[in-house]
Amino acid sequence: MKTAGHSEATAHRGLELNPFRGLRYDPDRVGSLAAVTSPPYDVVVRPDGLHHLESSDPYNIVRLILPQAATPGARNEQAAETLRRWVSEGVLTTDPDPCLYVYEQRDGEGMLQRGLIGALRVSEPAEQVVLPHEDVMPHVVADRADLMRATSANLEPLLLTYRGNGTTTATADLIERTAGGPPLLETTTEDGFRHRLWSLTDPADLAAVRSDLARQQALIADGHHRWATYRRLRAEHASPSPWDHGLVLLVDTARYPLRVRAIHRLLHGLPVGTAVAALRGHFRLRRLEVPLPEALETLADAACAGNAFLLAGDGAFHLADRPDPALLDRTIPADRPAAWRTLDATVLHATLLKHVWHIPEDSPDRIAYIHDTAATVEKAERDGGTAVLMHPVREEVVRDLARQGVTMPRKSTSFGPKPATGLVLRALDL
């Protein structure tokens, strides 16, 4: 096992994306490619979404990324055994040659995203090659590490972004040219997104990509816990090893801007009436008897003027804005940039959770993080908890803070569209 960092760390500059032999579903062995895919593990709303995915096809990828058993050890062993069985049965097959994959997502509203899937060299934070922008929860990293060790696989790609700004024209042209040919696979998932995948195997093409990306720096858009897991597992294995790299999707946001959405909080055991009452005297409070879309518009308007949150769980919405400056001064650390101190997520975690509602942010039995707005509200109303709906942060704020080495509170942003899980996997022992 390695102890300290890698001696070669200073020898690398920029991103190093390597080809690999992808592990993919045989479309003749499954009901449909759409039926075996899943959102990323942390986007699946449990238990409703989990049960829906499990019932959609016996080979749905959720059986690998979110295995169900009585204990963590049993869950991980079950995932490993399931993966071995699917490979031995030919449900999952390995592509014959190492390649990079061009991946396209397109919806019915004009959203188009293209990028490259490959095995990225795992780097240390000091190298400033891959920039995180959010804190992580140690228990989640430990859980993902146990699953990856058991399966010896990267089951789903992280979403990383970089800004080409005209400096990666060879890669951009290659992606566009490749997307004009027949794909390896094509499917439309139930969210309306069409997914297409192509392979790049030509040595000249791979060299062009390698040269272009060697000057680039990436921001983690989605997958902070899995990136931290990659780093942990890399440190456990003597280099060189397959664990030196991790599965990612790289998207040039100068060409394909991502959508940035909020991740909402569901507070278990805190009725919304109690949550609202605790805010009196600290925030301006308004009760909104309107549908969800209109309530979100009101939240967006309020967020333009400062910190604002929308609370739900009792059939109505409660807008909390204009926080008491004295409360913020008392509760928010002063040793961070102003852009960090004024984030809604900072105020939520440092002020509301810690000092007003007294909820530990690292307690999964007290707080859940949910991407789907309507699902958050529905679960709060059903369970008697409080939904805290957030307004998204702009991408430029996220990137600027990351470049300063300042991480945002965990689960502050949701970049998308996220890659569908199940289209291509990376087995480390192949």
Side-chain angles (χ1 to χ4, degrees):
M1 180 181 293
K2 292 181 288 190
T3 53
H6 293 259
S7 60
E8 79 275 13
T10 57
H12 291 279
R13 295 293 185 272
L15 301 169
E16 182 184 306
L17 191 68
N18 292 315
F20 69 103
R21 296 176 64 205
L23 188 63
R24 298 189 294 112
Y25 281 99
D26 180 344
D28 294 331
R29 298 295 307 275
V30 298
S32 73
L33 288 174
V36 296
T37 64
S38 163
Y41 79 98
D42 57 337
V43 180
V44 176
V45 178
R46 288 168 268 187
D48 307 16
L50 180 63
H51 293 159
H52 172 69
L53 291 165
E54 286 180 329
S55 62
S56 65
D57 191 283
Y59 297 114
N60 188 281
I61 193 69
V62 78
R63 287 179 167 80
L64 300 182
I65 63 172
L66 291 172
Q68 299 300 295
T71 67
R75 288 196 293 270
N76 295 327
E77 181 50 42
Q78 177 176 292
E81 172 55 32
T82 299
L83 179 58
R84 287 191 293 267
R85 186 174 70 255
W86 289 357
V87 170
S88 67
E89 293 175 353
V91 174
L92 289 168
T93 61
T94 307
D95 284 333
D97 300 308
C99 58
L100 297 178
Y101 296 88
V102 172
Y103 176 46
E104 176 189 278
Q105 295 161 276
R106 186 192 297 266
D107 69 7
E109 302 174 358
M111 176 74 181
L112 173 65
Q113 179 172 287
R114 289 177 179 148
L116 287 173
I117 294 176
L120 185 71
R121 181 184 68 87
V122 178
S123 56
E124 295 301 312
E127 296 180 65
Q128 294 238 302
V129 172
V130 175
L131 302 176
H133 70 267
E134 290 182 356
D135 294 331
V136 297
M137 293 174 272
H139 74 276
V140 177
V141 176
D143 174 73
R144 291 294 102 183
D146 289 342
L147 179 62
M148 285 190 205
R149 285 192 205 96
T151 57
S152 191
N154 299 151
L155 300 173
E156 47 187 337
L158 284 64
L159 175 59
L160 305 185
T161 72
Y162 65 99
R163 300 285 294 178
N165 293 325
T167 61
T168 55
T169 53
T171 296
D173 292 346
L174 176 61
I175 290 173
E176 301 306 310
R177 185 170 69 251
T178 302
L184 288 174
L185 65 83
E186 180 174 356
T187 190
T188 300
T189 46
E190 64 180 8
D191 59 3
F193 270 91
R194 184 180 71 166
H195 307 263
R196 297 199 294 169
L197 197 73
W198 298 261
S199 63
L200 296 176
T201 57
D202 184 88
D205 291 339
L206 298 177
V209 171
R210 188 180 186 91
S211 176
D212 266 0
L213 294 181
R215 300 183 293 273
Q216 292 297 322
Q217 180 186 60
L219 175 74
I220 301 176
D222 185 67
H224 283 81
H225 290 90
R226 284 166 285 164
W227 181 255
T229 300
Y230 289 171
R231 290 184 49 236
R232 173 180 292 192
L233 294 174
R234 180 198 190 207
E236 293 176 359
H237 295 81
S239 187
S241 85
W243 299 98
D244 290 344
H245 299 82
L247 185 63
V248 306
L249 166 63
L250 274 175
V251 174
D252 178 359
T253 53
R255 185 168 289 244
Y256 297 108
L258 270 65
R259 293 169 174 163
V260 186
R261 291 175 173 160
I263 302 177
H264 310 296
R265 276 64 170 162
L266 175 61
L267 308 181
H268 302 296
L270 179 67
V272 69
T274 303
V276 170
L279 296 181
R280 289 198 178 96
H282 300 304
F283 283 74
R284 183 178 69 167
L285 296 169
R286 286 180 282 167
R287 182 182 177 94
L288 308 176
E289 300 277 0
V290 297
L292 176 58
E294 189 174 333
L296 291 174
E297 290 179 6
T298 305
L299 173 64
D301 291 341
C304 291
N307 301 118
F309 308 93
L310 202 60
L311 277 58
D314 60 355
F317 297 98
H318 306 266
L319 180 68
D321 65 351
R322 299 187 185 180
D324 176 13
L327 173 66
L328 301 185
D329 289 342
R330 286 197 314 271
T331 56
I332 295 179
D335 59 347
R336 301 287 186 93
W340 181 89
R341 296 197 306 272
T342 55
L343 289 170
D344 285 342
T346 297
V347 173
L348 173 62
H349 284 258
T351 303
L352 296 183
L353 292 178
K354 185 174 181 179
H355 290 279
V356 177
W357 293 327
H358 307 290
I359 296 176
E361 63 176 350
D362 57 353
S363 178
D365 61 329
R366 297 291 308 280
I367 181 170
Y369 300 85
I370 304 177
H371 294 70
D372 186 282
T373 308
T376 311
V377 175
E378 290 166 6
K379 287 179 72 66
E381 292 178 347
R382 187 172 64 215
D383 302 341
T386 294
V388 182
L389 306 183
M390 310 280 286
H391 186 67
V393 184
R394 299 191 316 277
E395 180 185 356
E396 55 266 33
V397 173
V398 176
R399 196 175 292 275
D400 286 347
L401 285 172
R403 284 177 174 153
Q404 296 176 58
V406 178
T407 53
M408 299 164 64
R410 60 195 61 170
K411 301 292 184 182
S412 295
T413 58
S414 175
F415 285 89
K418 304 178 192 303
T421 298
L423 295 181
V424 59
L425 292 65
R426 175 175 176 254
L428 278 71
D429 52 4
L430 295 175

